[in-house]
Amino acid sequence: MKPFDTHTHIMSERFDEDREALLAELFGNELISGLIEIGTEPGDLEAVKDLAEQYEKVWFAPGVHPHSASEFTDETEAHIRSLLKHEKAVALGEIGLDFHYDFSPRDIQREVFIRQLRIAKSLNKPVIIHSREAAAEMFETLKNENVNGGVLHCFSENAAHAEDILSLGLYIAFGGAITHKTRDELREAVKVVPLERLLIETDCPYMTPVPFRNKRNRPDFTMLTAEKIAELKNISVEEVIDITTQNAEKLFGINII
């Protein structure tokens, strides 16, 4: 079995020159078992849907990232609601809070995040959550909104915060950062997340794992994350891939294999 990448941005301009060739390689050579393409702004939601329609083993999630929260309108909400009815739409995301860049004002981020959480809940869809330098407020918001399913993607906090997120019944996804030399605290977080609540991802083209750091990330690099998790948990890579794939199937309601 090959790894399943639960978070990609293949429609990023960084893939414009070789997107079709890369996907042909990934699926033709069975380097991955599938992927979920993630929406981030109102203008790209049709594109992520179109990608999922073109490839059997690609699913998608429409949503507005906190960076683009200022662009969220009533029309955006109607569009997301419509897209979530698509047979290959598996979640609403990515949504959340980003207090590192503050590309959108924090009050607008908060408003749009809660609004999207409530859309997902009304349609019984899981959420894909982005959180950067907002751990405490993120936890309180998720708890107050009684979120009924989702994943904190590209987890970047410590073991204590991982336990907080787990207490809400959510999954936690790890990517290439767990291979980076300075991320000992993050590796400790991996150890406290039970296998049955763990997902793997790339967030490509970002967050590239060692030994390819500073190069463009790609979905098959999920294998490097799986290998590091196997090392940290003292189990086989095959077990990591098998369990994380089953977790993705359960959370997103899909049949991958």
Side-chain angles (χ1 to χ4, degrees), residues 188-212:
E188 289 302 310
V190 172
K191 295 177 183 178
V192 306
V193 178
L195 285 171
E196 63 270 17
R197 302 279 287 283
L198 192 150
L199 297 172
I200 54 175
E201 62 170 73
T202 56
D203 198 22
C204 67
Y206 317 107
M207 300 299 294
T208 311
V210 173
F212 301 107

Side-chain angles (χ1 to χ4, degrees), residues 124-246:
N124 197 31
K125 287 286 189 179
V127 287
I128 297 171
I129 303 160
H130 172 102
S131 177
R132 187 165 186 185
E133 296 181 17
E137 185 166 335
M138 173 60 66
F139 174 65
E140 289 302 317
T141 302
L142 294 172
K143 184 170 64 173
N144 291 341
E145 291 298 315
N146 194 26
V147 174
N148 61 349
V151 54
L152 189 60
H153 111 91
C154 203
F155 188 82
S156 59
E157 300 291 339
N158 57 28
H161 185 57
E163 290 174 337
D164 283 343
I165 296 301
L166 292 168
S167 75
L168 300 175
L170 298 175
Y171 289 77
I172 292 178
F174 293 100
I178 66 170
T179 70
H180 297 172
K181 184 177 180 180
T182 61
R183 302 307 299 272
D184 288 340
E185 193 173 60
L186 184 54
R187 285 184 281 275
E188 289 302 310
V190 172
K191 295 177 183 178
V192 306
V193 178
L195 285 171
E196 63 270 17
R197 302 279 287 283
L198 192 150
L199 297 172
I200 54 175
E201 62 170 73
T202 56
D203 198 22
C204 67
Y206 317 107
M207 300 299 294
T208 311
V210 173
F212 301 107
R213 197 173 182 188
N214 299 320
K215 297 183 179 180
R216 185 185 70 175
N217 204 356
R218 43 184 280 167
D220 52 323
F221 289 174
T222 43
M223 182 63 78
L224 298 169
T225 297
E227 290 171 353
K228 178 56 71 173
I229 291 171
E231 174 189 323
L232 292 168
K233 289 189 170 292
N234 196 29
I235 58 176
S236 70
V237 177
E238 291 76 15
E239 186 174 358
V240 172
I241 292 172
D242 183 53
I243 292 174
T244 55
T245 301
Q246 290 178 39

Side-chain angles (χ1 to χ4, degrees), residues 6 13 20 27 47 52 56-57 64-65 84 92 94 109 124 135 142 157 175 177-178 188 202 211 219:
T6 58
E13 62 183 12
E20 291 187 8
F27 293 125
E56 179 186 3
K57 293 299 182 180
V64 175
H65 192 286
L84 286 171
L92 198 164
E94 70 186 274
Q109 289 189 47
N124 197 31
L142 294 172
E157 300 291 339
I178 66 170
E188 289 302 310
T202 56

Side-chain angles (χ1 to χ4, degrees), residues 17-67:
E17 292 186 359
D18 64 345
R19 183 177 295 110
E20 291 187 8
L22 173 62
L23 289 165
E25 178 188 357
L26 292 171
F27 293 125
N29 295 333
E30 298 183 347
L31 300 179
I32 59 171
S33 59
L35 60 87
I36 299 175
E37 178 70 1
I38 309 297
T40 58
E41 55 190 78
D44 75 5
L45 302 185
E46 284 295 316
V48 298
K49 172 185 71 74
D50 291 346
L51 187 74
E53 289 179 339
Q54 292 174 42
Y55 295 90
E56 179 186 3
K57 293 299 182 180
V58 174
W59 290 265
F60 79 102
V64 175
H65 192 286
H67 289 345

